[in-house]
Coordinates of all heavy atoms in Angstrom, one line a residue:
M1 N 8.1 -52.7 87.6 CA 9.3 -53.2 88.3 C 10.5 -52.9 87.6 O 10.8 -53.4 86.5 CB 9.1 -54.6 88.7 CG 10.2 -55.3 89.5 SD 10.2 -54.9 91.2 CE 11.8 -55.5 91.7
G2 N 11.3 -51.9 88.2 CA 12.5 -51.5 87.5 C 13.7 -52.1 88.1 O 13.6 -53.0 89.0
T3 N 14.8 -51.7 87.6 CA 16.2 -52.2 88.2 C 17.0 -51.0 88.6 O 17.2 -50.1 87.7 CB 16.9 -53.0 87.2 OG1 16.1 -54.0 86.6 CG2 18.1 -53.6 87.8
P4 N 17.4 -50.9 89.9 CA 18.1 -49.6 90.3 C 19.4 -49.5 89.6 O 20.2 -50.6 89.5 CB 18.3 -49.9 91.8 CG 17.4 -50.9 92.2 CD 17.1 -51.8 91.0
Y5 N 19.8 -48.3 89.1 CA 21.1 -48.1 88.5 C 21.9 -47.2 89.5 O 21.3 -46.5 90.2 CB 21.0 -47.3 87.3 CG 20.4 -48.0 86.0 CD1 19.9 -47.2 84.9 CD2 20.2 -49.3 86.0 CE1 19.4 -47.8 83.8 CE2 19.7 -49.9 84.8 CZ 19.3 -49.2 83.8 OH 18.8 -49.7 82.6
C6 N 23.2 -47.3 89.4 CA 24.0 -46.4 90.1 C 25.2 -46.2 89.2 O 25.8 -47.2 88.7 CB 24.4 -46.8 91.4 SG 25.4 -45.6 92.4
C7 N 25.7 -44.9 89.0 CA 26.8 -44.7 88.2 C 28.1 -45.1 88.9 O 28.4 -44.7 90.0 CB 26.9 -43.2 87.9 SG 28.4 -42.9 86.9
P8 N 29.0 -46.0 88.3 CA 30.2 -46.4 88.9 C 31.3 -45.4 88.9 O 32.3 -45.6 89.5 CB 30.6 -47.6 88.0 CG 30.0 -47.4 86.7 CD 28.7 -46.7 86.9
N9 N 31.1 -44.3 88.1 CA 32.1 -43.3 88.1 C 31.9 -42.2 89.1 O 32.7 -42.0 90.0 CB 32.1 -42.7 86.7 CG 33.3 -41.7 86.6 OD1 34.5 -42.0 86.9 ND2 33.0 -40.6 86.0
C10 N 30.7 -41.6 89.1 CA 30.5 -40.5 90.0 C 29.9 -41.1 91.3 O 29.9 -40.4 92.4 CB 29.7 -39.3 89.5 SG 28.0 -39.8 89.0
R11 N 29.4 -42.3 91.3 CA 29.0 -43.0 92.5 C 27.8 -42.4 93.4 O 27.4 -42.9 94.4 CB 30.1 -43.2 93.5 CG 31.2 -44.2 92.9 CD 32.5 -44.1 93.6 NE 33.5 -44.8 93.0 CZ 33.8 -46.1 93.2 NH1 33.1 -46.8 94.1 NH2 34.8 -46.7 92.6
T12 N 27.3 -41.3 92.8 CA 26.1 -40.7 93.6 C 24.9 -40.7 92.8 O 23.8 -40.8 93.3 CB 26.5 -39.2 93.9 OG1 26.9 -38.5 92.8 CG2 27.6 -39.2 95.0
N13 N 25.0 -40.7 91.4 CA 23.8 -40.6 90.6 C 23.1 -41.9 90.5 O 23.6 -42.9 90.1 CB 24.2 -40.2 89.2 CG 23.0 -40.1 88.3 OD1 21.9 -39.9 88.7 ND2 23.3 -40.5 87.0
R14 N 21.8 -41.9 90.9 CA 20.9 -43.0 90.9 C 19.6 -42.7 90.2 O 18.7 -43.6 90.1 CB 20.6 -43.5 92.3 CG 21.7 -44.2 93.0 CD 21.3 -44.6 94.4 NE 22.4 -45.5 95.0 CZ 22.4 -46.8 94.9 NH1 21.5 -47.4 94.2 NH2 23.4 -47.5 95.4
S15 N 19.5 -41.5 89.6 CA 18.2 -41.2 89.0 C 18.3 -40.6 87.6 O 17.3 -40.7 86.9 CB 17.5 -40.2 89.9 OG 18.3 -39.0 90.2
R16 N 19.4 -40.0 87.2 CA 19.4 -39.4 85.9 C 20.3 -40.2 84.9 O 21.5 -40.2 85.1 CB 19.9 -38.0 86.0 CG 18.9 -37.0 86.7 CD 19.4 -35.6 86.8 NE 18.4 -34.8 87.5 CZ 17.3 -34.3 87.0 NH1 17.1 -34.4 85.7 NH2 16.5 -33.6 87.7
F17 N 19.6 -40.7 83.9 CA 20.4 -41.5 82.9 C 19.8 -41.3 81.5 O 18.7 -40.9 81.4 CB 20.2 -43.0 83.3 CG 20.8 -43.3 84.6 CD1 20.0 -43.4 85.7 CD2 22.2 -43.5 84.8 CE1 20.5 -43.7 87.0 CE2 22.7 -43.8 86.0 CZ 21.8 -43.9 87.1
N18 N 20.7 -41.5 80.5 CA 20.3 -41.6 79.1 C 20.3 -43.1 78.7 O 21.5 -43.7 78.8 CB 21.2 -40.8 78.2 CG 21.0 -39.3 78.5 OD1 20.0 -38.7 78.7 ND2 22.2 -38.7 78.7
I19 N 19.2 -43.6 78.3 CA 19.2 -45.0 77.8 C 19.4 -44.9 76.3 O 18.7 -44.3 75.6 CB 17.9 -45.7 78.1 CG1 17.7 -45.8 79.7 CG2 17.8 -47.1 77.5 CD1 16.4 -46.3 80.1
I20 N 20.5 -45.6 75.8 CA 20.8 -45.6 74.4 C 20.4 -46.9 73.8 O 21.1 -48.0 74.1 CB 22.3 -45.4 74.3 CG1 22.7 -44.0 75.0 CG2 22.8 -45.3 72.8 CD1 24.2 -43.9 75.4
E21 N 19.4 -47.0 73.0 CA 19.0 -48.2 72.3 C 20.0 -48.5 71.2 O 20.2 -47.6 70.4 CB 17.6 -48.1 71.8 CG 16.5 -47.7 72.9 CD 16.1 -49.0 73.6 OE1 16.5 -50.1 73.3 OE2 15.2 -48.8 74.6
Q22 N 20.5 -49.7 71.2 CA 21.4 -50.0 70.2 C 20.7 -51.0 69.1 O 20.5 -52.1 69.5 CB 22.7 -50.7 70.7 CG 23.4 -49.9 71.7 CD 24.8 -50.3 71.9 OE1 25.7 -49.5 71.6 NE2 25.0 -51.5 72.4
V23 N 20.5 -50.6 68.0 CA 19.9 -51.4 66.9 C 20.9 -51.6 65.8 O 21.2 -50.7 65.1 CB 18.6 -50.7 66.4 CG1 18.0 -51.6 65.3 CG2 17.6 -50.4 67.5
A24 N 21.3 -52.9 65.6 CA 22.3 -53.1 64.6 C 21.5 -53.3 63.3 O 20.5 -54.2 63.2 CB 23.1 -54.4 64.9
Q25 N 22.0 -52.7 62.2 CA 21.3 -52.9 60.9 C 22.4 -53.5 60.0 O 23.3 -52.9 59.6 CB 20.8 -51.6 60.3 CG 20.0 -51.9 59.1 CD 19.7 -50.6 58.3 OE1 20.1 -49.6 58.6 NE2 18.8 -50.8 57.3
P26 N 22.3 -54.8 59.6 CA 23.2 -55.4 58.8 C 23.1 -54.9 57.3 O 22.0 -54.8 56.8 CB 22.9 -56.9 58.8 CG 21.6 -57.1 59.5 CD 21.3 -55.8 60.1
V27 N 24.2 -54.4 56.7 CA 24.1 -53.9 55.4 C 25.3 -54.4 54.6 O 26.2 -54.9 55.1 CB 24.2 -52.3 55.4 CG1 22.9 -51.7 56.1 CG2 25.4 -51.8 56.1
R28 N 25.2 -54.2 53.3 CA 26.3 -54.5 52.4 C 26.6 -53.2 51.7 O 25.7 -52.6 51.1 CB 26.0 -55.6 51.4 CG 27.1 -56.4 50.9 CD 26.8 -57.8 50.4 NE 25.8 -57.8 49.4 CZ 26.2 -57.6 48.1 NH1 27.5 -57.4 47.8 NH2 25.3 -57.6 47.1
L29 N 27.8 -52.7 51.7 CA 28.2 -51.5 51.1 C 28.9 -51.6 49.9 O 29.6 -52.7 49.6 CB 29.1 -50.7 52.1 CG 28.6 -50.3 53.5 CD1 29.6 -49.5 54.2 CD2 27.3 -49.6 53.4
D30 N 28.8 -50.7 48.9 CA 29.6 -50.7 47.8 C 31.1 -50.3 48.2 O 31.3 -49.3 48.9 CB 29.1 -49.6 46.8 CG 29.9 -49.5 45.5 OD1 31.1 -49.3 45.6 OD2 29.3 -49.6 44.5
P31 N 32.0 -51.1 47.9 CA 33.4 -50.9 48.5 C 34.0 -49.6 48.0 O 34.9 -49.0 48.7 CB 34.2 -52.1 47.9 CG 33.2 -53.0 47.4 CD 32.0 -52.4 47.1
Q32 N 33.6 -49.1 46.9 CA 34.2 -47.9 46.4 C 33.5 -46.7 46.9 O 34.2 -45.7 47.3 CB 34.2 -47.9 44.8 CG 35.4 -48.3 44.1 CD 35.6 -49.8 44.2 OE1 34.8 -50.5 43.9 NE2 36.8 -50.1 44.7
T33 N 32.2 -46.6 46.9 CA 31.5 -45.4 47.2 C 31.0 -45.4 48.7 O 30.7 -44.4 49.2 CB 30.2 -45.2 46.3 OG1 29.3 -46.3 46.6 CG2 30.7 -45.3 44.8
G34 N 30.9 -46.6 49.3 CA 30.4 -46.7 50.6 C 28.8 -46.6 50.7 O 28.2 -46.6 51.7
E35 N 28.2 -46.6 49.5 CA 26.7 -46.6 49.5 C 26.2 -47.9 49.9 O 26.8 -49.0 49.6 CB 26.3 -46.2 48.1 CG 26.1 -44.7 48.0 CD 25.4 -44.4 46.6 OE1 24.3 -44.5 46.4 OE2 26.3 -44.1 45.7
I36 N 25.0 -47.9 50.4 CA 24.4 -49.2 50.9 C 23.8 -49.9 49.6 O 23.0 -49.3 48.9 CB 23.2 -49.0 51.9 CG1 23.9 -48.5 53.2 CG2 22.4 -50.3 52.2 CD1 22.9 -48.1 54.3
I37 N 24.3 -51.0 49.3 CA 23.7 -51.8 48.2 C 22.6 -52.7 48.6 O 21.6 -52.8 47.9 CB 24.9 -52.7 47.6 CG1 26.1 -52.0 47.3 CG2 24.3 -53.5 46.5 CD1 27.3 -52.9 46.9
E38 N 22.7 -53.2 49.9 CA 21.8 -54.1 50.3 C 21.5 -53.9 51.9 O 22.5 -53.9 52.6 CB 22.2 -55.6 50.0 CG 21.1 -56.5 49.9 CD 21.7 -57.9 49.4 OE1 22.9 -58.0 49.1 OE2 20.8 -58.8 49.3
A39 N 20.3 -53.8 52.2 CA 20.0 -53.7 53.7 C 19.2 -54.9 54.1 O 18.1 -55.2 53.4 CB 19.2 -52.5 54.0
F40 N 19.7 -55.7 55.1 CA 19.0 -56.9 55.4 C 18.0 -56.7 56.6 O 18.3 -57.0 57.7 CB 20.0 -58.0 55.9 CG 21.1 -58.2 54.8 CD1 22.3 -57.5 54.8 CD2 20.9 -59.1 53.8 CE1 23.2 -57.8 53.9 CE2 21.8 -59.3 52.8 CZ 23.0 -58.7 52.9
D41 N 16.8 -56.1 56.2 CA 15.9 -55.7 57.3 C 15.2 -57.0 57.8 O 14.3 -57.5 57.1 CB 14.9 -54.8 56.8 CG 15.5 -53.4 56.5 OD1 16.2 -52.9 57.3 OD2 15.3 -52.9 55.4
G42 N 15.6 -57.5 58.9 CA 15.0 -58.7 59.4 C 15.3 -60.0 58.7 O 14.8 -61.0 59.1
L43 N 16.2 -59.9 57.7 CA 16.6 -61.1 57.0 C 18.0 -61.5 57.4 O 18.8 -60.7 57.8 CB 16.5 -60.8 55.5 CG 15.1 -60.3 54.9 CD1 15.4 -59.8 53.5 CD2 14.2 -61.5 54.9
S44 N 18.3 -62.7 57.1 CA 19.7 -63.1 57.4 C 20.6 -62.6 56.4 O 20.4 -62.7 55.2 CB 19.7 -64.7 57.4 OG 21.0 -65.1 57.5
P45 N 21.7 -62.0 56.8 CA 22.7 -61.4 55.8 C 23.6 -62.6 55.2 O 24.4 -62.3 54.4 CB 23.5 -60.4 56.7 CG 23.4 -60.9 58.1 CD 22.1 -61.7 58.2
G46 N 23.4 -63.8 55.7 CA 24.1 -64.9 55.1 C 25.2 -65.4 56.0 O 25.5 -64.8 57.0
P47 N 25.8 -66.5 55.6 CA 26.7 -67.2 56.5 C 28.1 -66.5 56.7 O 28.8 -66.8 57.7 CB 26.9 -68.6 55.9 CG 26.5 -68.4 54.4 CD 25.5 -67.4 54.4
F48 N 28.4 -65.6 55.9 CA 29.7 -65.0 55.9 C 29.6 -63.6 56.7 O 30.6 -63.0 56.8 CB 30.4 -64.8 54.5 CG 30.4 -66.0 53.8 CD1 29.6 -66.2 52.6 CD2 31.2 -67.0 54.1 CE1 29.7 -67.4 51.9 CE2 31.3 -68.3 53.5 CZ 30.5 -68.4 52.4
H49 N 28.5 -63.3 57.1 CA 28.2 -62.0 57.8 C 28.1 -62.2 59.3 O 27.1 -62.9 59.7 CB 27.0 -61.4 57.2 CG 26.9 -60.0 57.5 ND1 26.8 -58.9 56.6 CD2 26.7 -59.3 58.7 CE1 26.6 -57.8 57.2 NE2 26.6 -58.0 58.5
T50 N 29.0 -61.8 60.1 CA 29.0 -61.9 61.5 C 27.8 -61.1 62.1 O 27.6 -59.9 61.8 CB 30.2 -61.4 62.2 OG1 31.3 -62.2 61.7 CG2 30.1 -61.6 63.7
Q51 N 26.9 -61.8 62.9 CA 25.8 -61.1 63.4 C 26.2 -60.3 64.7 O 27.0 -60.8 65.4 CB 24.6 -62.1 63.8 CG 24.2 -62.9 62.6 CD 22.7 -63.0 62.4 OE1 22.0 -62.2 63.1 NE2 22.2 -63.9 61.7
Y52 N 25.5 -59.2 64.8 CA 25.8 -58.4 66.0 C 25.3 -59.2 67.3 O 24.1 -59.6 67.3 CB 25.0 -57.1 66.0 CG 25.1 -56.2 67.2 CD1 26.3 -55.7 67.5 CD2 24.1 -56.1 68.1 CE1 26.5 -54.9 68.7 CE2 24.2 -55.3 69.3 CZ 25.4 -54.7 69.5 OH 25.5 -54.0 70.6
N53 N 26.1 -59.3 68.2 CA 25.6 -60.0 69.5 C 25.9 -59.3 70.7 O 26.2 -59.8 71.8 CB 26.2 -61.4 69.5 CG 27.7 -61.5 69.6 OD1 28.3 -60.4 69.6 ND2 28.3 -62.6 69.7
G54 N 26.1 -57.9 70.5 CA 26.4 -57.1 71.7 C 25.1 -56.8 72.5 O 24.0 -57.3 72.1
P55 N 25.2 -55.9 73.5 CA 24.0 -55.6 74.3 C 23.0 -54.7 73.5 O 23.3 -54.0 72.6 CB 24.6 -54.8 75.5 CG 25.9 -54.3 74.9 CD 26.4 -55.2 73.9
D56 N 21.7 -54.9 73.9 CA 20.6 -54.1 73.3 C 20.7 -52.6 73.6 O 20.3 -51.8 72.8 CB 19.2 -54.6 73.8 CG 19.0 -56.0 73.4 OD1 19.6 -56.5 72.4 OD2 18.1 -56.6 74.0
K57 N 21.3 -52.3 74.7 CA 21.3 -50.9 75.1 C 22.6 -50.6 75.9 O 23.1 -51.5 76.5 CB 20.1 -50.5 75.8 CG 19.7 -51.2 77.1 CD 18.4 -50.8 77.6 CE 17.9 -51.7 78.7 NZ 16.6 -51.4 79.2
R58 N 22.9 -49.4 75.9 CA 24.0 -48.8 76.7 C 23.3 -47.7 77.6 O 22.3 -47.2 77.2 CB 25.2 -48.3 76.0 CG 25.9 -49.5 75.3 CD 27.0 -48.9 74.4 NE 28.1 -48.4 75.3 CZ 29.3 -48.6 75.1 NH1 29.8 -49.5 74.2 NH2 30.3 -48.1 75.9
I59 N 24.0 -47.4 78.7 CA 23.5 -46.3 79.5 C 24.5 -45.3 79.7 O 25.7 -45.5 79.9 CB 23.2 -47.0 81.0 CG1 22.3 -48.2 80.8 CG2 22.6 -45.9 81.9 CD1 20.9 -48.0 80.3
Q60 N 24.1 -44.0 79.6 CA 24.9 -42.9 80.0 C 24.4 -42.2 81.2 O 23.2 -42.0 81.4 CB 24.9 -41.9 78.8 CG 25.9 -40.7 79.2 CD 25.9 -39.7 78.0 OE1 24.9 -39.4 77.4 NE2 27.1 -39.1 77.7
C61 N 25.5 -42.0 82.1 CA 25.1 -41.3 83.3 C 24.7 -39.8 83.0 O 25.4 -39.2 82.2 CB 26.4 -41.3 84.2 SG 26.2 -40.2 85.7
G62 N 23.6 -39.4 83.5 CA 23.1 -38.1 83.2 C 23.8 -37.0 84.0 O 23.6 -35.8 83.8
V63 N 24.8 -37.4 84.9 CA 25.5 -36.4 85.7 C 26.9 -36.3 85.1 O 27.3 -35.1 84.7 CB 25.5 -36.8 87.1 CG1 26.4 -35.9 88.0 CG2 24.1 -36.8 87.6
C64 N 27.7 -37.4 85.1 CA 29.1 -37.2 84.6 C 29.4 -37.6 83.1 O 30.3 -37.4 82.6 CB 30.0 -38.0 85.5 SG 29.9 -39.9 85.3
G65 N 28.3 -38.2 82.5 CA 28.4 -38.5 81.0 C 29.0 -39.9 80.7 O 29.2 -40.2 79.6
L66 N 29.4 -40.7 81.7 CA 30.0 -42.0 81.5 C 29.0 -42.9 80.7 O 27.9 -43.0 81.0 CB 30.3 -42.6 82.8 CG 30.9 -44.1 82.7 CD1 32.4 -44.1 82.4 CD2 30.7 -44.8 84.0
I67 N 29.6 -43.6 79.7 CA 28.8 -44.5 78.9 C 29.3 -45.9 79.1 O 30.4 -46.2 78.9 CB 28.7 -44.2 77.4 CG1 28.1 -42.8 77.2 CG2 27.9 -45.2 76.6 CD1 28.2 -42.3 75.7
E68 N 28.4 -46.8 79.6 CA 28.8 -48.2 79.9 C 27.6 -49.1 79.6 O 26.6 -48.7 79.3 CB 29.2 -48.3 81.4 CG 30.6 -47.9 81.7 CD 31.7 -48.6 81.1 OE1 31.5 -49.8 80.6 OE2 32.9 -48.2 81.1
E69 N 27.9 -50.4 79.6 CA 26.9 -51.4 79.5 C 25.9 -51.3 80.7 O 26.3 -51.0 81.8 CB 27.4 -52.8 79.4 CG 28.0 -53.1 78.0 CD 28.4 -54.5 77.9 OE1 27.7 -55.4 78.5 OE2 29.4 -54.8 77.2
E70 N 24.7 -51.7 80.4 CA 23.7 -51.6 81.5 C 24.1 -52.3 82.7 O 23.9 -51.9 83.9 CB 22.3 -52.1 80.9 CG 21.2 -51.9 82.0 CD 19.9 -52.6 81.5 OE1 20.0 -53.6 80.8 OE2 18.8 -52.0 81.8
R71 N 24.7 -53.5 82.5 CA 24.9 -54.4 83.7 C 25.9 -53.8 84.6 O 26.0 -54.1 85.8 CB 25.5 -55.8 83.2 CG 26.8 -55.7 82.3 CD 27.2 -57.0 81.8 NE 28.3 -56.9 81.0 CZ 29.2 -57.7 80.7 NH1 29.1 -58.9 81.2 NH2 30.2 -57.5 79.9
T72 N 26.8 -52.8 84.1 CA 27.7 -52.1 84.9 C 27.0 -51.3 86.0 O 27.3 -51.2 87.1 CB 28.7 -51.3 84.1 OG1 29.3 -52.1 83.1 CG2 29.8 -50.6 85.0
F73 N 26.0 -50.6 85.4 CA 25.2 -49.7 86.3 C 24.3 -50.5 87.3 O 24.1 -50.1 88.4 CB 24.3 -48.8 85.4 CG 25.1 -47.7 84.7 CD1 25.7 -47.9 83.5 CD2 25.1 -46.4 85.3 CE1 26.4 -46.8 82.9 CE2 25.8 -45.4 84.7 CZ 26.5 -45.6 83.5
I74 N 23.8 -51.6 86.8 CA 23.0 -52.5 87.6 C 23.8 -53.0 88.8 O 23.4 -53.1 89.9 CB 22.4 -53.6 86.8 CG1 21.3 -53.1 85.8 CG2 21.7 -54.7 87.7 CD1 20.8 -54.1 84.9
K75 N 25.0 -53.4 88.4 CA 25.9 -54.0 89.5 C 26.1 -53.0 90.6 O 26.1 -53.3 91.8 CB 27.3 -54.4 88.8 CG 27.8 -55.7 89.4 CD 29.0 -56.2 88.6 CE 30.3 -55.8 89.2 NZ 31.4 -56.0 88.3
F76 N 26.4 -51.7 90.2 CA 26.6 -50.6 91.3 C 25.3 -50.3 91.9 O 25.3 -49.9 93.1 CB 27.3 -49.4 90.6 CG 28.8 -49.5 90.7 CD1 29.5 -50.4 89.9 CD2 29.4 -48.7 91.7 CE1 30.9 -50.4 90.1 CE2 30.7 -48.7 91.9 CZ 31.5 -49.6 91.0
G77 N 24.2 -50.5 91.2 CA 22.9 -50.2 91.8 C 22.5 -51.1 93.0 O 21.7 -50.8 93.8
E78 N 23.1 -52.3 92.9 CA 22.8 -53.4 94.0 C 23.4 -53.0 95.3 O 22.9 -53.4 96.3 CB 23.4 -54.7 93.6 CG 22.6 -55.3 92.5 CD 23.4 -56.6 91.8 OE1 24.5 -56.8 92.3 OE2 22.7 -57.2 91.0
K79 N 24.4 -52.1 95.3 CA 25.1 -51.8 96.6 C 24.4 -50.7 97.4 O 23.8 -49.9 96.8 CB 26.6 -51.4 96.3 CG 27.4 -52.5 95.8 CD 28.8 -52.0 95.3 CE 29.6 -53.2 94.6 NZ 30.7 -52.7 93.9
Ligands
ZN101 ZN1 28.2 -40.6 86.7

């Protein structure tokens, strides 16, 4: 059971999309070199580190290239 998408920009595309999985990886970088000192794989990065709370995925229209949150495409898919 899927959810119909429709592109809010070109308004005709309902079938061709790129699903972009967004995986946030919390890391601590060396301030001088930018190298990763610590990667928190599945671990809590601690109380001073804001956790990613954005969407799991974004959608790109396969026709016009618009990238938006999935819910935007779902909202237009309902019409
Ligand atoms: Zn489009």
Side-chain angles (χ1 to χ4, degrees):
M1 181 69 189
T3 311
Y5 290 167
C6 183
C7 175
N9 186 47
C10 62
R11 293 165 187 267
T12 51
N13 176 32
R14 289 179 169 270
S15 56
R16 293 181 181 274
F17 300 96
N18 296 313
I19 296 173
I20 305 157
E21 301 279 356
Q22 305 200 115
V23 182
Q25 188 191 6
V27 294
R28 209 154 61 82
L29 303 182
D30 182 303
Q32 260 75 49
T33 67
E35 271 184 80
I36 295 175
I37 304 171
E38 207 172 352
F40 305 95
D41 294 312
L43 301 169
S44 169
F48 304 113
H49 193 122
T50 300
Q51 299 227 19
Y52 177 71
N53 61 0
D56 293 341
K57 57 186 169 185
R58 292 178 68 133
I59 307 298
Q60 181 175 38
C61 173
V63 175
C64 73
L66 177 81
I67 300 175
E68 281 292 344
E69 281 186 37
E70 184 187 34
R71 59 183 175 155
T72 308
F73 285 86
I74 291 173
K75 218 168 100 195
F76 265 76
E78 287 168 355
K79 291 172 188 168

